[in-house]
């Protein structure tokens, strides 16, 4: 019964998104509908909603996005994005390389704001190419997340290794072939991107590398603060934004206007409503009951836990809770299983689930930036992610 209720909610979400209703309004309505369908007492519902909207986890994500919005706005206003693209042209002479490589570089940073950072870069890279706004959104989201299944800055990979008690490097090596496949299959969406550079002039490689570094130094600083300095993402984003302001040294009277101009208020409202929906999902017990529901399905045990990971990621829009829920259950229920391949399957399943849901903030942020239809974005990318999931299942069976 719980599965039917969740299916009703998600089908309605997709329908209203397809009708181009504002995402924040759709998610607000879906949150209320969850409370009604799962018969939450009104006071419990309001308390859970208050806890969600006032929690540090919610405000931390909002602050990260806000600071990165401002950082991206400042970089765009002062020509950093154009210089970045020019440097890539000088090095590779290919718009396709620009559209693929730059989101992947930003993808080394495990921050929800990464999609917001890379979207204007992708937009400039594919300018003039005969592709839809939905495909632009898919390119941005897909290549921004290619490294998520492999690179050790992502908490899902680290958590999976810890829960499975396997070496992180061994898990990385296991995931490398799938990561390469994810990259290669995504190239289908850039096939129509015009390949010519924006300039035909030849530039020395050393000059191109220097220009690329000078145009991307705020991004490299942000990665260094988070990856090497182990600084919280919101604080690292704030430090990077302030460092750029100091470097640009605009008149103090102009700073408030620059910040307001860079802030996307509707997107911040969207984040609040998506996170509220996620927290109400947990409060009403929908996520906690998911393993028991899936366990009754007439399929092999490994597929049960794979679907648990995939569906939990779809519901929450995140890999971390999916792995947190599915991995311990899988390890306990399948002690005789090959642990390393099972951990890899859980990661791949969570990755696919997070990529095909409007609950994933990168999906909705990208669609909002490109003014794309979220429903069409998901439906057009769905065949690719189903192929990835099928390959992950096949890979698991081959190596076990």
């Amino acid at each position: 019964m719980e599965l039917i209720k969740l299916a009703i909610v998600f089908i309605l979400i997709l329908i209203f998104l397809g009708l181009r209703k504002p995402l924040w309004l759709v998610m607000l309505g879906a949150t209320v509908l969850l409370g009604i369908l799962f018969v939450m007492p009104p006071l419990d519902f309001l308390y859970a909603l208050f806890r969600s909207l006032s929690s540090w986890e919610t405000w931390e994500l909002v602050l990260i996005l806000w600071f990165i919005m401002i950082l991206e706005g400042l970089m765009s206003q002062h020509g950093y994005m154009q210089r970045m693209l020019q440097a890539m042209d000088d090095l590779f002479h290919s718009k396709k390389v620009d559209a693929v490589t730059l989101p992947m570089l930003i993808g080394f940073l495990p921050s929800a704001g990464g999609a917001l950072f890379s979207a204007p870069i992708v937009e400039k890279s594919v300018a003039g190419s005969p592709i839809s706004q939905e495909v632009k959104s898919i390119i941005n989201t897909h290549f921004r997340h290619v490294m998520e299944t492999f690179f050790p800055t992502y908490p899902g990979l680290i958590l999976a290794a810890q829960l499975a008690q396997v070496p992180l490097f061994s898990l990385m090596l296991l995931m490398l072939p799938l990561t390469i496949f994810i990259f290669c299959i995504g190239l289908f969406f850039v096939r129509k991107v015009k390949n010519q550079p924006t300039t035909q002039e030849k530039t020395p490689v050393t000059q191109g590398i220097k220009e690329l570094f000078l145009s991307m130094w705020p991004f490299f600083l942000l990665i260094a603060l988070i990856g090497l300095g182990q600084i919280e993402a919101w604080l690292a984003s704030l430090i990077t934004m302030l460092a750029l302001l100091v470097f640009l040294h605009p008149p103090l009277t102009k700073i408030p206007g620059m910040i307001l101009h860079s802030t996307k208020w509707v997107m911040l409202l969207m984040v609040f409503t998506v996170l509220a929906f996620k927290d109400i999902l947990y409060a009403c017990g929908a996520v906690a009951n998911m393993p028991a529901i899936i366990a009754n399905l007439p399929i092999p045990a490994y597929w049960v836990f794979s679907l648990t990971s995939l569906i939990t990621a779809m519901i929450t829009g995140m890999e971390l809770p999916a792995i947190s829920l599915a991995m311990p259950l899988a390890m306990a229920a399948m002690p005789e299983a090959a642990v390393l391949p099972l951990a890899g399957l859980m990661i791949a399943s969570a990755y696919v689930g997070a990529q095909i849901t409007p609950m994933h903030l990168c999906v909705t942020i990208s669609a909002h930036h490109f003014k794309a239809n979220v429903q069409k974005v998901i439906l057009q990318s769905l065949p690719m992610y189903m192929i990835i999931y099928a390959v992950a299942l096949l890979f698991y069976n081959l190596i076990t």
Side-chain angles (χ1 to χ4, degrees):
M1 191 62 184
E2 284 87 351
L3 199 58
I4 295 174
K5 293 176 182 178
L6 284 175
I8 291 171
V9 173
F10 272 84
I11 289 170
L12 288 174
I13 287 174
L14 288 175
I15 288 173
F16 281 102
L17 288 177
L19 295 173
R20 291 190 173 273
K21 301 300 180 184
L23 179 65
W24 69 268
L25 187 58
V26 172
M27 298 312 300
L28 184 61
T31 303
V32 175
L33 182 59
L34 268 181
I36 295 171
L37 291 179
F38 284 87
V39 199
M40 287 186 72
L43 288 179
D44 290 352
F45 176 84
L46 291 174
Y47 179 65
L49 193 61
F50 172 77
R51 285 186 59 184
S52 173
L53 297 178
S54 61
S55 71
W56 168 242
E57 288 77 13
T58 296
W59 281 96
E60 182 181 27
L61 182 54
V62 170
L63 286 175
I64 292 169
L65 285 172
W66 187 40
F67 294 146
I68 289 181
M69 277 180 195
I70 298 169
L71 182 64
E72 181 265 317
L74 291 173
M75 291 181 71
S76 294
Q77 293 166 32
H78 290 84
Y80 278 75
M81 299 300 186
Q82 190 58 44
R83 288 175 62 191
M84 194 184 302
L85 284 173
Q86 186 64 56
M88 291 293 291
D89 278 342
D90 292 341
L91 287 171
F92 300 106
H93 304 284
S94 170
K95 285 188 173 183
K96 287 185 177 180
V97 173
D98 295 349
V100 168
T101 306
L102 289 169
M104 282 185 63
L105 283 173
I106 294 170
F108 281 99
L109 181 68
S111 166
L116 180 64
F117 203 103
S118 60
I121 299 173
V122 171
E123 190 169 29
K124 286 182 170 60
S125 300
V126 303
S129 299
I131 57 176
S132 67
Q133 300 303 102
E134 285 74 26
V135 171
K136 293 175 186 177
S137 183
I138 292 170
I139 291 171
N140 183 50
T141 305
H142 181 78
F143 287 104
R144 182 256 180 280
H145 285 276
V146 164
M147 302 307 296
E148 193 164 5
T149 56
F150 167 76
F151 201 66
T153 56
Y154 282 90
L157 191 74
I158 297 169
L159 179 64
Q162 290 174 339
L163 292 174
Q165 296 183 340
V166 296
L168 178 60
F169 186 68
S170 298
L171 188 56
M172 289 171 60
L173 288 179
L174 176 76
M175 297 306 296
L176 181 58
L178 184 64
T179 303
I180 295 172
F181 178 75
I182 290 171
F183 169 80
C184 291
I185 196 172
L187 295 176
F188 172 81
F189 288 98
V190 297
R191 70 193 188 282
K192 292 184 179 179
V193 174
K194 292 182 178 178
N195 206 34
Q196 75 274 17
T198 54
T199 177
Q200 301 297 326
E201 296 179 5
K202 297 292 183 181
T203 305
V205 173
T206 52
Q207 184 178 335
I209 294 173
K210 177 183 176 182
E211 190 62 24
L212 185 63
F213 177 81
L214 290 175
S215 62
M216 293 186 71
W217 74 260
F219 168 65
F220 291 137
L221 174 60
L222 189 57
I223 287 182
L225 290 173
I226 295 175
L228 301 178
Q230 299 296 304
I231 296 175
E232 295 289 335
W234 72 271
L235 183 57
S237 304
L238 175 61
I239 292 171
T240 305
M241 181 196 73
L242 293 175
L244 182 58
L245 277 172
V246 170
F247 183 80
L248 296 173
H249 57 271
L252 292 177
T253 54
K254 290 189 176 181
I255 292 178
M258 295 167 70
I259 292 174
L260 288 173
H261 179 73
S262 301
T263 302
K264 301 175 177 66
W265 300 106
V266 174
M267 190 176 292
L268 295 179
L269 179 60
M270 176 188 75
V271 172
F272 275 114
T273 54
V274 168
L275 293 179
F277 178 82
K278 174 183 70 71
D279 290 335
I280 294 296
L281 270 171
Y282 280 95
C284 72
V287 176
N289 295 331
M290 193 55 58
I293 295 168
I294 296 177
N296 293 322
L297 300 175
I299 54 178
Y302 72 87
W303 203 355
V304 168
F305 295 111
S306 170
L307 285 175
T308 300
S309 180
L310 187 148
I311 293 175
T312 304
M314 281 186 65
I315 292 171
T316 62
M318 296 183 291
E319 291 188 26
L320 199 60
I323 292 169
S324 302
L325 181 66
M327 278 291 295
L329 294 169
M331 295 298 117
M334 301 174 64
E336 75 288 349
V339 175
L340 186 61
L342 189 59
L345 180 60
M346 296 297 103
I347 293 169
S349 303
Y351 164 80
V352 170
Q355 295 298 102
I356 56 174
T357 174
M359 290 300 298
H360 184 178
L361 283 174
C362 286
V363 174
T364 51
I365 285 171
S366 291
H368 184 273
H369 175 88
F370 291 106
K371 296 181 174 58
N373 185 309
V374 180
Q375 184 191 59
K376 289 182 179 179
V377 169
I378 293 172
L379 291 177
Q380 288 182 26
S381 63
L382 189 59
M384 172 177 66
Y385 290 114
M386 289 300 95
I387 292 171
I388 291 171
Y389 183 56
V391 168
L393 289 172
L394 179 63
F395 186 54
Y396 171 80
N397 280 282
L398 285 175
I399 60 179
T400 53

